Amino acid sequence: MQLVKPAGQRDAARKYDIITALGAYALARNKHDQRLVLRLITLMTARYNWARDELAVGQREIARLWAVDERTVKREMAKLRGLGWLVVKRQGARGRVTEYGLGLDRMLATTETEWPNVGPDFDLRMSGKPEENPVVPLPVKGHIPPPDVSDGTEWALAQAILFSEAPDVYGSWLRNLVRVDRAGGRLTLSAPSRFHGNYVQTHLNRKVLAACQSVDDDVTEIVIVA
C-alpha cells in the first residue's frame, strides 16, 4: 500500500492527520507508549519545521519542554529512532545540535491499524484508497449559509459539523433534510424528494451518522424518508 505524505511537508490538513494517527495509536497502547508518543507530538508541534522536514533542538531544550532530565531525553529519542519515527539527517557536533527528519513511512505504517478507530473517512484518506461511492456535489447558486443551531437538537449540531467538513456537499444534499422524529437511537430525517432521500441513504448515511454520533452517542441509526 502506498502511504500518502503531506504535499511538500506543507499541507496543513495532513499535519493534523499525522498527529491524529499518532494520538489514536497511543490511546490503544500502554501508558509508557502513550507518554512516548505524547512527548513526540509535543516536540513536533512546538519545534518541527514541516517545510524543511527538520527538527533541530538541543537536548537541554527538549528536557525543559518535556519536564524531564537530559538522560531521559537521550533514552526517549533513542526509542523514537529505533521505531524509525525520527531519522538523523545531520549528526550533532561541538556547538551544533543533531538534526532529525520524520520517518513518515514507518510512522504511518505503524499507526495504520488504528486508522479505522478514527473513522472510515480518515482511513480512506490516510491510505489513499479511492472512495467507493464518491459524492457528487450539485451546483448551488449563491452563498451557502451555515446552519442554524439555535434549537440545540442533535441534527442541528450535526449539520454544523457537516457544513464545516464539506460545505458543497452540505449545500447540495444535507441542508434540506428536516428532523422529523427521534425514537430511542433512531433519528428520522425528511428529504425533499424520494431520489434525494435515496441518494443520501446510499452515499452519505455513514457520514451523517458519524456527525450525529459526535454530538450524541445514543444515535445508532439514521432513517431518511421522503
PDB file of all heavy atoms in Angstrom, residues 23-62:
ATOM      1  N   GLY A  23      -1.912  10.007  17.804  1.00  0.00           N
ATOM      2  CA  GLY A  23      -2.724  10.010  19.010  1.00  0.00           C
ATOM      3  C   GLY A  23      -3.588   8.771  19.127  1.00  0.00           C
ATOM      4  O   GLY A  23      -3.699   8.174  20.205  1.00  0.00           O
ATOM      5  N   ALA A  24      -4.215   8.357  18.016  1.00  0.00           N
ATOM      6  CA  ALA A  24      -5.056   7.163  18.035  1.00  0.00           C
ATOM      7  C   ALA A  24      -4.221   5.923  18.350  1.00  0.00           C
ATOM      8  O   ALA A  24      -4.659   5.026  19.090  1.00  0.00           O
ATOM      9  CB  ALA A  24      -5.765   7.001  16.690  1.00  0.00           C
ATOM     10  N   TYR A  25      -3.018   5.871  17.797  1.00  0.00           N
ATOM     11  CA  TYR A  25      -2.121   4.749  18.084  1.00  0.00           C
ATOM     12  C   TYR A  25      -1.757   4.713  19.564  1.00  0.00           C
ATOM     13  O   TYR A  25      -1.812   3.656  20.204  1.00  0.00           O
ATOM     14  CB  TYR A  25      -0.850   4.890  17.234  1.00  0.00           C
ATOM     15  CG  TYR A  25       0.240   3.908  17.572  1.00  0.00           C
ATOM     16  CD1 TYR A  25       0.219   2.620  17.054  1.00  0.00           C
ATOM     17  CD2 TYR A  25       1.298   4.272  18.413  1.00  0.00           C
ATOM     18  CE1 TYR A  25       1.219   1.712  17.367  1.00  0.00           C
ATOM     19  CE2 TYR A  25       2.295   3.371  18.728  1.00  0.00           C
ATOM     20  CZ  TYR A  25       2.253   2.096  18.206  1.00  0.00           C
ATOM     21  OH  TYR A  25       3.240   1.202  18.525  1.00  0.00           O
ATOM     22  N   ALA A  26      -1.423   5.862  20.123  1.00  0.00           N
ATOM     23  CA  ALA A  26      -1.026   5.925  21.529  1.00  0.00           C
ATOM     24  C   ALA A  26      -2.163   5.496  22.446  1.00  0.00           C
ATOM     25  O   ALA A  26      -1.953   4.762  23.419  1.00  0.00           O
ATOM     26  CB  ALA A  26      -0.568   7.338  21.885  1.00  0.00           C
ATOM     27  N   LEU A  27      -3.378   5.940  22.147  1.00  0.00           N
ATOM     28  CA  LEU A  27      -4.515   5.644  23.009  1.00  0.00           C
ATOM     29  C   LEU A  27      -4.866   4.160  23.032  1.00  0.00           C
ATOM     30  O   LEU A  27      -5.550   3.701  23.951  1.00  0.00           O
ATOM     31  CB  LEU A  27      -5.734   6.464  22.567  1.00  0.00           C
ATOM     32  CG  LEU A  27      -5.606   7.972  22.828  1.00  0.00           C
ATOM     33  CD1 LEU A  27      -6.728   8.718  22.125  1.00  0.00           C
ATOM     34  CD2 LEU A  27      -5.619   8.260  24.321  1.00  0.00           C
ATOM     35  N   ALA A  28      -4.385   3.426  22.050  1.00  0.00           N
ATOM     36  CA  ALA A  28      -4.629   1.986  22.009  1.00  0.00           C
ATOM     37  C   ALA A  28      -3.480   1.195  22.645  1.00  0.00           C
ATOM     38  O   ALA A  28      -3.507  -0.036  22.626  1.00  0.00           O
ATOM     39  CB  ALA A  28      -4.833   1.527  20.569  1.00  0.00           C
ATOM     40  N   ARG A  29      -2.495   1.910  23.203  1.00  0.00           N
ATOM     41  CA  ARG A  29      -1.327   1.249  23.780  1.00  0.00           C
ATOM     42  C   ARG A  29      -1.245   1.478  25.284  1.00  0.00           C
ATOM     43  O   ARG A  29      -2.119   2.085  25.893  1.00  0.00           O
ATOM     44  CB  ARG A  29      -0.038   1.773  23.096  1.00  0.00           C
ATOM     45  CG  ARG A  29       0.047   1.480  21.610  1.00  0.00           C
ATOM     46  CD  ARG A  29      -0.014  -0.020  21.336  1.00  0.00           C
ATOM     47  NE  ARG A  29       0.162  -0.367  19.949  1.00  0.00           N
ATOM     48  CZ  ARG A  29      -0.782  -0.370  19.020  1.00  0.00           C
ATOM     49  NH1 ARG A  29      -2.003   0.023  19.332  1.00  0.00           N
ATOM     50  NH2 ARG A  29      -0.531  -0.749  17.788  1.00  0.00           N
ATOM     51  N   ASN A  30      -0.162   0.988  25.884  1.00  0.00           N
ATOM     52  CA  ASN A  30       0.009   1.125  27.331  1.00  0.00           C
ATOM     53  C   ASN A  30       0.499   2.528  27.685  1.00  0.00           C
ATOM     54  O   ASN A  30       0.829   3.329  26.819  1.00  0.00           O
ATOM     55  CB  ASN A  30       0.982   0.057  27.859  1.00  0.00           C
ATOM     56  CG  ASN A  30       2.360   0.160  27.212  1.00  0.00           C
ATOM     57  OD1 ASN A  30       2.979   1.222  27.198  1.00  0.00           O
ATOM     58  ND2 ASN A  30       2.854  -0.956  26.672  1.00  0.00           N
ATOM     59  N   LYS A  31       0.560   2.797  28.981  1.00  0.00           N
ATOM     60  CA  LYS A  31       0.884   4.151  29.431  1.00  0.00           C
ATOM     61  C   LYS A  31       2.295   4.590  29.044  1.00  0.00           C
ATOM     62  O   LYS A  31       2.539   5.785  28.838  1.00  0.00           O
ATOM     63  CB  LYS A  31       0.705   4.265  30.938  1.00  0.00           C
ATOM     64  CG  LYS A  31       1.632   3.384  31.766  1.00  0.00           C
ATOM     65  CD  LYS A  31       1.369   3.557  33.261  1.00  0.00           C
ATOM     66  CE  LYS A  31       2.313   2.697  34.092  1.00  0.00           C
ATOM     67  NZ  LYS A  31       2.042   2.861  35.546  1.00  0.00           N
ATOM     68  N   HIS A  32       3.213   3.641  28.930  1.00  0.00           N
ATOM     69  CA  HIS A  32       4.583   4.003  28.552  1.00  0.00           C
ATOM     70  C   HIS A  32       4.647   4.462  27.092  1.00  0.00           C
ATOM     71  O   HIS A  32       5.305   5.466  26.765  1.00  0.00           O
ATOM     72  CB  HIS A  32       5.516   2.812  28.784  1.00  0.00           C
ATOM     73  CG  HIS A  32       5.493   2.293  30.196  1.00  0.00           C
ATOM     74  ND1 HIS A  32       5.972   3.018  31.258  1.00  0.00           N
ATOM     75  CD2 HIS A  32       5.015   1.122  30.705  1.00  0.00           C
ATOM     76  CE1 HIS A  32       5.814   2.328  32.376  1.00  0.00           C
ATOM     77  NE2 HIS A  32       5.235   1.179  32.062  1.00  0.00           N
ATOM     78  N   ASP A  33       3.956   3.723  26.208  1.00  0.00           N
ATOM     79  CA  ASP A  33       3.896   4.130  24.802  1.00  0.00           C
ATOM     80  C   ASP A  33       3.149   5.447  24.656  1.00  0.00           C
ATOM     81  O   ASP A  33       3.528   6.298  23.842  1.00  0.00           O
ATOM     82  CB  ASP A  33       3.199   3.048  23.966  1.00  0.00           C
ATOM     83  CG  ASP A  33       4.027   1.788  23.832  1.00  0.00           C
ATOM     84  OD1 ASP A  33       5.257   1.874  24.005  1.00  0.00           O
ATOM     85  OD2 ASP A  33       3.450   0.721  23.559  1.00  0.00           O
ATOM     86  N   GLN A  34       2.086   5.614  25.443  1.00  0.00           N
ATOM     87  CA  GLN A  34       1.321   6.860  25.382  1.00  0.00           C
ATOM     88  C   GLN A  34       2.184   8.062  25.728  1.00  0.00           C
ATOM     89  O   GLN A  34       2.129   9.101  25.074  1.00  0.00           O
ATOM     90  CB  GLN A  34       0.121   6.776  26.329  1.00  0.00           C
ATOM     91  CG  GLN A  34      -0.958   5.809  25.865  1.00  0.00           C
ATOM     92  CD  GLN A  34      -2.054   5.632  26.885  1.00  0.00           C
ATOM     93  OE1 GLN A  34      -2.006   6.189  27.981  1.00  0.00           O
ATOM     94  NE2 GLN A  34      -3.063   4.836  26.543  1.00  0.00           N
ATOM     95  N   ARG A  35       3.009   7.903  26.766  1.00  0.00           N
ATOM     96  CA  ARG A  35       3.873   9.009  27.177  1.00  0.00           C
ATOM     97  C   ARG A  35       4.919   9.318  26.115  1.00  0.00           C
ATOM     98  O   ARG A  35       5.198  10.497  25.835  1.00  0.00           O
ATOM     99  CB  ARG A  35       4.546   8.665  28.510  1.00  0.00           C
ATOM    100  CG  ARG A  35       5.407   9.795  29.080  1.00  0.00           C
ATOM    101  CD  ARG A  35       5.791   9.479  30.504  1.00  0.00           C
ATOM    102  NE  ARG A  35       6.461   8.191  30.597  1.00  0.00           N
ATOM    103  CZ  ARG A  35       6.713   7.562  31.757  1.00  0.00           C
ATOM    104  NH1 ARG A  35       6.316   8.115  32.896  1.00  0.00           N
ATOM    105  NH2 ARG A  35       7.343   6.407  31.776  1.00  0.00           N
ATOM    106  N   LEU A  36       5.466   8.285  25.494  1.00  0.00           N
ATOM    107  CA  LEU A  36       6.467   8.495  24.446  1.00  0.00           C
ATOM    108  C   LEU A  36       5.851   9.248  23.262  1.00  0.00           C
ATOM    109  O   LEU A  36       6.444  10.201  22.745  1.00  0.00           O
ATOM    110  CB  LEU A  36       7.021   7.148  23.978  1.00  0.00           C
ATOM    111  CG  LEU A  36       8.029   7.197  22.817  1.00  0.00           C
ATOM    112  CD1 LEU A  36       9.291   7.935  23.237  1.00  0.00           C
ATOM    113  CD2 LEU A  36       8.361   5.784  22.338  1.00  0.00           C
ATOM    114  N   VAL A  37       4.660   8.822  22.831  1.00  0.00           N
ATOM    115  CA  VAL A  37       4.011   9.467  21.691  1.00  0.00           C
ATOM    116  C   VAL A  37       3.605  10.893  22.039  1.00  0.00           C
ATOM    117  O   VAL A  37       3.729  11.809  21.216  1.00  0.00           O
ATOM    118  CB  VAL A  37       2.800   8.642  21.215  1.00  0.00           C
ATOM    119  CG1 VAL A  37       2.077   9.372  20.085  1.00  0.00           C
ATOM    120  CG2 VAL A  37       3.240   7.265  20.748  1.00  0.00           C
ATOM    121  N   LEU A  38       3.117  11.107  23.266  1.00  0.00           N
ATOM    122  CA  LEU A  38       2.755  12.462  23.681  1.00  0.00           C
ATOM    123  C   LEU A  38       3.976  13.375  23.645  1.00  0.00           C
ATOM    124  O   LEU A  38       3.878  14.538  23.204  1.00  0.00           O
ATOM    125  CB  LEU A  38       2.170  12.438  25.096  1.00  0.00           C
ATOM    126  CG  LEU A  38       1.842  13.810  25.707  1.00  0.00           C
ATOM    127  CD1 LEU A  38       0.832  14.557  24.856  1.00  0.00           C
ATOM    128  CD2 LEU A  38       1.330  13.645  27.134  1.00  0.00           C
ATOM    129  N   ARG A  39       5.105  12.879  24.065  1.00  0.00           N
ATOM    130  CA  ARG A  39       6.332  13.682  24.019  1.00  0.00           C
ATOM    131  C   ARG A  39       6.710  14.015  22.585  1.00  0.00           C
ATOM    132  O   ARG A  39       7.117  15.150  22.283  1.00  0.00           O
ATOM    133  CB  ARG A  39       7.458  12.937  24.733  1.00  0.00           C
ATOM    134  CG  ARG A  39       7.314  12.955  26.253  1.00  0.00           C
ATOM    135  CD  ARG A  39       8.290  12.026  26.947  1.00  0.00           C
ATOM    136  NE  ARG A  39       8.227  12.221  28.397  1.00  0.00           N
ATOM    137  CZ  ARG A  39       8.756  11.389  29.300  1.00  0.00           C
ATOM    138  NH1 ARG A  39       9.384  10.292  28.887  1.00  0.00           N
ATOM    139  NH2 ARG A  39       8.652  11.649  30.586  1.00  0.00           N
ATOM    140  N   LEU A  40       6.566  13.031  21.688  1.00  0.00           N
ATOM    141  CA  LEU A  40       6.895  13.289  20.287  1.00  0.00           C
ATOM    142  C   LEU A  40       5.937  14.322  19.696  1.00  0.00           C
ATOM    143  O   LEU A  40       6.370  15.251  18.998  1.00  0.00           O
ATOM    144  CB  LEU A  40       6.831  11.990  19.482  1.00  0.00           C
ATOM    145  CG  LEU A  40       7.009  12.151  17.963  1.00  0.00           C
ATOM    146  CD1 LEU A  40       8.368  12.759  17.631  1.00  0.00           C
ATOM    147  CD2 LEU A  40       6.818  10.819  17.251  1.00  0.00           C
ATOM    148  N   ILE A  41       4.633  14.162  19.942  1.00  0.00           N
ATOM    149  CA  ILE A  41       3.652  15.100  19.406  1.00  0.00           C
ATOM    150  C   ILE A  41       3.941  16.516  19.903  1.00  0.00           C
ATOM    151  O   ILE A  41       3.884  17.486  19.135  1.00  0.00           O
ATOM    152  CB  ILE A  41       2.219  14.668  19.798  1.00  0.00           C
ATOM    153  CG1 ILE A  41       1.825  13.407  19.024  1.00  0.00           C
ATOM    154  CG2 ILE A  41       1.216  15.788  19.515  1.00  0.00           C
ATOM    155  CD1 ILE A  41       0.479  12.824  19.450  1.00  0.00           C
ATOM    156  N   THR A  42       4.264  16.645  21.186  1.00  0.00           N
ATOM    157  CA  THR A  42       4.575  17.959  21.746  1.00  0.00           C
ATOM    158  C   THR A  42       5.804  18.553  21.087  1.00  0.00           C
ATOM    159  O   THR A  42       5.837  19.746  20.744  1.00  0.00           O
ATOM    160  CB  THR A  42       4.793  17.863  23.264  1.00  0.00           C
ATOM    161  OG1 THR A  42       3.644  17.265  23.872  1.00  0.00           O
ATOM    162  CG2 THR A  42       5.024  19.237  23.877  1.00  0.00           C
ATOM    163  N   LEU A  43       6.821  17.731  20.881  1.00  0.00           N
ATOM    164  CA  LEU A  43       8.045  18.201  20.231  1.00  0.00           C
ATOM    165  C   LEU A  43       7.779  18.605  18.784  1.00  0.00           C
ATOM    166  O   LEU A  43       8.281  19.634  18.307  1.00  0.00           O
ATOM    167  CB  LEU A  43       9.106  17.096  20.295  1.00  0.00           C
ATOM    168  CG  LEU A  43      10.515  17.451  19.813  1.00  0.00           C
ATOM    169  CD1 LEU A  43      11.094  18.618  20.600  1.00  0.00           C
ATOM    170  CD2 LEU A  43      11.420  16.226  19.921  1.00  0.00           C
ATOM    171  N   MET A  44       6.978  17.805  18.084  1.00  0.00           N
ATOM    172  CA  MET A  44       6.656  18.109  16.689  1.00  0.00           C
ATOM    173  C   MET A  44       5.891  19.426  16.567  1.00  0.00           C
ATOM    174  O   MET A  44       6.217  20.265  15.725  1.00  0.00           O
ATOM    175  CB  MET A  44       5.820  16.971  16.082  1.00  0.00           C
ATOM    176  CG  MET A  44       6.591  15.701  15.786  1.00  0.00           C
ATOM    177  SD  MET A  44       5.489  14.311  15.380  1.00  0.00           S
ATOM    178  CE  MET A  44       4.557  14.968  13.990  1.00  0.00           C
ATOM    179  N   THR A  45       4.864  19.588  17.388  1.00  0.00           N
ATOM    180  CA  THR A  45       4.047  20.797  17.273  1.00  0.00           C
ATOM    181  C   THR A  45       4.792  22.047  17.708  1.00  0.00           C
ATOM    182  O   THR A  45       4.523  23.148  17.216  1.00  0.00           O
ATOM    183  CB  THR A  45       2.752  20.655  18.104  1.00  0.00           C
ATOM    184  OG1 THR A  45       3.084  20.311  19.454  1.00  0.00           O
ATOM    185  CG2 THR A  45       1.854  19.572  17.526  1.00  0.00           C
ATOM    186  N   ALA A  46       5.759  21.868  18.604  1.00  0.00           N
ATOM    187  CA  ALA A  46       6.491  23.028  19.114  1.00  0.00           C
ATOM    188  C   ALA A  46       7.704  23.392  18.252  1.00  0.00           C
ATOM    189  O   ALA A  46       7.996  24.575  18.060  1.00  0.00           O
ATOM    190  CB  ALA A  46       6.943  22.773  20.553  1.00  0.00           C
ATOM    191  N   ARG A  47       8.390  22.388  17.699  1.00  0.00           N
ATOM    192  CA  ARG A  47       9.701  22.681  17.103  1.00  0.00           C
ATOM    193  C   ARG A  47       9.951  22.086  15.720  1.00  0.00           C
ATOM    194  O   ARG A  47      10.947  22.404  15.085  1.00  0.00           O
ATOM    195  CB  ARG A  47      10.804  22.182  18.048  1.00  0.00           C
ATOM    196  CG  ARG A  47      10.914  22.996  19.333  1.00  0.00           C
ATOM    197  CD  ARG A  47      11.450  24.384  19.042  1.00  0.00           C
ATOM    198  NE  ARG A  47      11.575  25.206  20.236  1.00  0.00           N
ATOM    199  CZ  ARG A  47      10.685  26.091  20.636  1.00  0.00           C
ATOM    200  NH1 ARG A  47       9.567  26.267  19.913  1.00  0.00           N
ATOM    201  NH2 ARG A  47      10.859  26.807  21.721  1.00  0.00           N
ATOM    202  N   TYR A  48       9.077  21.233  15.220  1.00  0.00           N
ATOM    203  CA  TYR A  48       9.331  20.612  13.918  1.00  0.00           C
ATOM    204  C   TYR A  48       9.011  21.589  12.787  1.00  0.00           C
ATOM    205  O   TYR A  48       7.963  22.229  12.792  1.00  0.00           O
ATOM    206  CB  TYR A  48       8.505  19.339  13.756  1.00  0.00           C
ATOM    207  CG  TYR A  48       8.661  18.655  12.419  1.00  0.00           C
ATOM    208  CD1 TYR A  48       9.885  18.119  12.030  1.00  0.00           C
ATOM    209  CD2 TYR A  48       7.588  18.533  11.546  1.00  0.00           C
ATOM    210  CE1 TYR A  48      10.035  17.483  10.805  1.00  0.00           C
ATOM    211  CE2 TYR A  48       7.723  17.903  10.325  1.00  0.00           C
ATOM    212  CZ  TYR A  48       8.954  17.380   9.970  1.00  0.00           C
ATOM    213  OH  TYR A  48       9.095  16.752   8.746  1.00  0.00           O
ATOM    214  N   ASN A  49       9.929  21.694  11.821  1.00  0.00           N
ATOM    215  CA  ASN A  49       9.732  22.545  10.644  1.00  0.00           C
ATOM    216  C   ASN A  49       9.218  21.662   9.510  1.00  0.00           C
ATOM    217  O   ASN A  49       9.979  20.916   8.892  1.00  0.00           O
ATOM    218  CB  ASN A  49      11.058  23.218  10.257  1.00  0.00           C
ATOM    219  CG  ASN A  49      10.894  24.245   9.155  1.00  0.00           C
ATOM    220  OD1 ASN A  49      10.247  23.977   8.147  1.00  0.00           O
ATOM    221  ND2 ASN A  49      11.476  25.416   9.339  1.00  0.00           N
ATOM    222  N   TRP A  50       7.913  21.776   9.232  1.00  0.00           N
ATOM    223  CA  TRP A  50       7.300  20.930   8.213  1.00  0.00           C
ATOM    224  C   TRP A  50       7.810  21.261   6.819  1.00  0.00           C
ATOM    225  O   TRP A  50       7.892  20.381   5.956  1.00  0.00           O
ATOM    226  CB  TRP A  50       5.778  21.082   8.258  1.00  0.00           C
ATOM    227  CG  TRP A  50       5.159  20.537   9.514  1.00  0.00           C
ATOM    228  CD1 TRP A  50       4.962  21.200  10.681  1.00  0.00           C
ATOM    229  CD2 TRP A  50       4.673  19.209   9.720  1.00  0.00           C
ATOM    230  NE1 TRP A  50       4.376  20.367  11.620  1.00  0.00           N
ATOM    231  CE2 TRP A  50       4.186  19.138  11.046  1.00  0.00           C
ATOM    232  CE3 TRP A  50       4.583  18.070   8.903  1.00  0.00           C
ATOM    233  CZ2 TRP A  50       3.620  17.986  11.578  1.00  0.00           C
ATOM    234  CZ3 TRP A  50       4.025  16.916   9.432  1.00  0.00           C
ATOM    235  CH2 TRP A  50       3.554  16.875  10.747  1.00  0.00           C
ATOM    236  N   ALA A  51       8.137  22.506   6.559  1.00  0.00           N
ATOM    237  CA  ALA A  51       8.576  22.908   5.225  1.00  0.00           C
ATOM    238  C   ALA A  51       9.914  22.278   4.866  1.00  0.00           C
ATOM    239  O   ALA A  51      10.152  21.910   3.725  1.00  0.00           O
ATOM    240  CB  ALA A  51       8.672  24.429   5.138  1.00  0.00           C
ATOM    241  N   ARG A  52      10.801  22.154   5.865  1.00  0.00           N
ATOM    242  CA  ARG A  52      12.145  21.618   5.597  1.00  0.00           C
ATOM    243  C   ARG A  52      12.330  20.194   6.107  1.00  0.00           C
ATOM    244  O   ARG A  52      13.417  19.640   5.977  1.00  0.00           O
ATOM    245  CB  ARG A  52      13.199  22.531   6.230  1.00  0.00           C
ATOM    246  CG  ARG A  52      13.264  23.930   5.656  1.00  0.00           C
ATOM    247  CD  ARG A  52      14.586  24.604   5.984  1.00  0.00           C
ATOM    248  NE  ARG A  52      14.789  24.771   7.407  1.00  0.00           N
ATOM    249  CZ  ARG A  52      14.482  25.875   8.095  1.00  0.00           C
ATOM    250  NH1 ARG A  52      13.941  26.910   7.457  1.00  0.00           N
ATOM    251  NH2 ARG A  52      14.712  25.953   9.391  1.00  0.00           N
ATOM    252  N   ASP A  53      11.277  19.614   6.690  1.00  0.00           N
ATOM    253  CA  ASP A  53      11.407  18.304   7.322  1.00  0.00           C
ATOM    254  C   ASP A  53      12.603  18.307   8.259  1.00  0.00           C
ATOM    255  O   ASP A  53      13.547  17.527   8.124  1.00  0.00           O
ATOM    256  CB  ASP A  53      11.555  17.189   6.272  1.00  0.00           C
ATOM    257  CG  ASP A  53      11.650  15.803   6.912  1.00  0.00           C
ATOM    258  OD1 ASP A  53      11.078  15.608   8.010  1.00  0.00           O
ATOM    259  OD2 ASP A  53      12.304  14.913   6.311  1.00  0.00           O
ATOM    260  N   GLU A  54      12.559  19.202   9.233  1.00  0.00           N
ATOM    261  CA  GLU A  54      13.718  19.410  10.092  1.00  0.00           C
ATOM    262  C   GLU A  54      13.293  19.604  11.546  1.00  0.00           C
ATOM    263  O   GLU A  54      12.426  20.417  11.849  1.00  0.00           O
ATOM    264  CB  GLU A  54      14.488  20.639   9.612  1.00  0.00           C
ATOM    265  CG  GLU A  54      15.725  20.958  10.427  1.00  0.00           C
ATOM    266  CD  GLU A  54      16.398  22.208   9.939  1.00  0.00           C
ATOM    267  OE1 GLU A  54      17.126  22.123   8.930  1.00  0.00           O
ATOM    268  OE2 GLU A  54      16.186  23.282  10.530  1.00  0.00           O
ATOM    269  N   LEU A  55      13.929  18.854  12.403  1.00  0.00           N
ATOM    270  CA  LEU A  55      13.774  19.015  13.842  1.00  0.00           C
ATOM    271  C   LEU A  55      15.174  19.184  14.421  1.00  0.00           C
ATOM    272  O   LEU A  55      15.947  18.231  14.471  1.00  0.00           O
ATOM    273  CB  LEU A  55      13.088  17.795  14.457  1.00  0.00           C
ATOM    274  CG  LEU A  55      12.900  17.805  15.976  1.00  0.00           C
ATOM    275  CD1 LEU A  55      11.923  18.904  16.390  1.00  0.00           C
ATOM    276  CD2 LEU A  55      12.384  16.457  16.470  1.00  0.00           C
ATOM    277  N   ALA A  56      15.509  20.393  14.786  1.00  0.00           N
ATOM    278  CA  ALA A  56      16.848  20.702  15.281  1.00  0.00           C
ATOM    279  C   ALA A  56      16.707  21.386  16.638  1.00  0.00           C
ATOM    280  O   ALA A  56      16.579  22.613  16.729  1.00  0.00           O
ATOM    281  CB  ALA A  56      17.596  21.583  14.294  1.00  0.00           C
ATOM    282  N   VAL A  57      16.722  20.581  17.695  1.00  0.00           N
ATOM    283  CA  VAL A  57      16.522  21.084  19.055  1.00  0.00           C
ATOM    284  C   VAL A  57      17.536  20.414  19.971  1.00  0.00           C
ATOM    285  O   VAL A  57      17.747  19.199  19.892  1.00  0.00           O
ATOM    286  CB  VAL A  57      15.092  20.789  19.568  1.00  0.00           C
ATOM    287  CG1 VAL A  57      14.836  21.518  20.883  1.00  0.00           C
ATOM    288  CG2 VAL A  57      14.046  21.162  18.540  1.00  0.00           C
ATOM    289  N   GLY A  58      18.155  21.187  20.843  1.00  0.00           N
ATOM    290  CA  GLY A  58      19.119  20.642  21.773  1.00  0.00           C
ATOM    291  C   GLY A  58      18.457  19.834  22.877  1.00  0.00           C
ATOM    292  O   GLY A  58      17.283  20.031  23.218  1.00  0.00           O
ATOM    293  N   GLN A  59      19.213  18.906  23.450  1.00  0.00           N
ATOM    294  CA  GLN A  59      18.671  18.040  24.489  1.00  0.00           C
ATOM    295  C   GLN A  59      18.223  18.834  25.723  1.00  0.00           C
ATOM    296  O   GLN A  59      17.230  18.486  26.364  1.00  0.00           O
ATOM    297  CB  GLN A  59      19.704  16.989  24.890  1.00  0.00           C
ATOM    298  CG  GLN A  59      19.963  15.952  23.807  1.00  0.00           C
ATOM    299  CD  GLN A  59      20.933  14.878  24.248  1.00  0.00           C
ATOM    300  OE1 GLN A  59      21.502  14.928  25.333  1.00  0.00           O
ATOM    301  NE2 GLN A  59      21.139  13.894  23.390  1.00  0.00           N
ATOM    302  N   ARG A  60      18.918  19.904  26.023  1.00  0.00           N
ATOM    303  CA  ARG A  60      18.542  20.700  27.185  1.00  0.00           C
ATOM    304  C   ARG A  60      17.175  21.347  26.967  1.00  0.00           C
ATOM    305  O   ARG A  60      16.344  21.385  27.883  1.00  0.00           O
ATOM    306  CB  ARG A  60      19.601  21.774  27.452  1.00  0.00           C
ATOM    307  CG  ARG A  60      19.321  22.613  28.689  1.00  0.00           C
ATOM    308  CD  ARG A  60      20.456  23.587  28.952  1.00  0.00           C
ATOM    309  NE  ARG A  60      21.720  22.871  29.154  1.00  0.00           N
ATOM    310  CZ  ARG A  60      22.900  23.483  29.330  1.00  0.00           C
ATOM    311  NH1 ARG A  60      22.967  24.809  29.303  1.00  0.00           N
ATOM    312  NH2 ARG A  60      23.984  22.772  29.501  1.00  0.00           N
ATOM    313  N   GLU A  61      16.949  21.844  25.748  1.00  0.00           N
ATOM    314  CA  GLU A  61      15.656  22.471  25.453  1.00  0.00           C
ATOM    315  C   GLU A  61      14.530  21.438  25.453  1.00  0.00           C
ATOM    316  O   GLU A  61      13.425  21.704  25.935  1.00  0.00           O
ATOM    317  CB  GLU A  61      15.723  23.178  24.099  1.00  0.00           C
ATOM    318  CG  GLU A  61      14.468  23.972  23.763  1.00  0.00           C
ATOM    319  CD  GLU A  61      14.573  24.708  22.448  1.00  0.00           C
ATOM    320  OE1 GLU A  61      15.667  24.678  21.833  1.00  0.00           O
ATOM    321  OE2 GLU A  61      13.566  25.310  22.029  1.00  0.00           O
ATOM    322  N   ILE A  62      14.820  20.245  24.909  1.00  0.00           N
ATOM    323  CA  ILE A  62      13.808  19.181  24.911  1.00  0.00           C
ATOM    324  C   ILE A  62      13.486  18.770  26.348  1.00  0.00           C
ATOM    325  O   ILE A  62      12.323  18.565  26.705  1.00  0.00           O
ATOM    326  CB  ILE A  62      14.297  17.960  24.106  1.00  0.00           C
ATOM    327  CG1 ILE A  62      14.488  18.333  22.631  1.00  0.00           C
ATOM    328  CG2 ILE A  62      13.288  16.813  24.213  1.00  0.00           C
ATOM    329  CD1 ILE A  62      15.103  17.231  21.791  1.00  0.00           C
TER     330      ILE A  62
END
